[in-house]
């Protein structure tokens, strides 16, 4: 876990910290607290994170990029709730577009 005033700097710090300590980022989930921008999604793709999740909404461009780059983009993560914008197959028990009957 790392923190910074700017959300883009935070991802750079996280990447550097992982490199310094030999922590593999490929296949991990990137969790952020701010709005997921296209630049943040690009950094997640470089890190090899197949899932990026935030407590807020993503930008429309990041949703388009996530679709194209096969990244699961999740927003509005709350206790027991979330909204999946792309590739929901990675999210277990996700009920979007499921018929309960």
């Amino acid at each position: 876990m790392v923190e910074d005033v700017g959300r883009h700097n935070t991802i750079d710090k996280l990447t550097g910290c992982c490199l310094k300590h030999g922590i593999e980022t490929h296949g991990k989930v990137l969790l952020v607290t701010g709005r997921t921008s296209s630049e943040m999604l690009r950094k997640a793709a470089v890190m090899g994170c197949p899932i990026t999740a935030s407590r807020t909404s993503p930008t429309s461009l990041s949703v388009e990029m996530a679709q194209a780059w096969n990244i699961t983009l999740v927003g509005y993560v709350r206790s027991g709730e979330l909204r999946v914008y792309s590739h929901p197959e990675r999210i277990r028990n996700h009920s979007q577009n499921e018929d309960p009957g």
Side-chain angles (χ1 to χ4, degrees):
M1 183 177 125
V2 296
E3 292 181 75
D4 196 285
V5 174
R7 55 194 166 146
H8 299 94
N9 294 347
T10 303
I11 296 174
D12 293 337
K13 278 182 149 179
L14 178 63
T15 302
C17 182
C18 289
L19 284 170
K20 181 178 178 181
H21 296 287
I23 299 169
E24 178 62 51
T25 59
H26 185 81
K28 302 294 192 285
V29 176
L30 178 63
L31 300 172
V32 298
T33 58
R35 187 168 192 191
T36 305
S37 68
S38 58
E39 181 63 22
M40 293 169 68
L41 192 74
R42 186 192 65 76
K43 291 177 183 195
V46 169
M47 292 172 67
C49 298
I51 301 172
T52 299
S54 176
R55 65 183 180 92
T56 62
S57 65
T59 63
S60 58
L61 182 55
S62 65
V63 172
E64 291 176 27
M65 291 167 60
Q67 284 287 358
W69 293 352
N70 194 29
I71 295 175
T72 300
L73 185 57
V74 183
Y76 295 107
V77 177
R78 304 283 191 274
S79 179
E81 295 181 48
L82 53 84
R83 186 175 299 165
V84 180
Y85 291 89
S86 62
H87 299 283
E89 63 275 7
R90 289 192 183 99
I91 307 298
R92 192 177 306 193
N93 296 327
H94 179 65
S95 62
Q96 182 179 9
N97 298 327
E98 288 183 4
D99 186 334

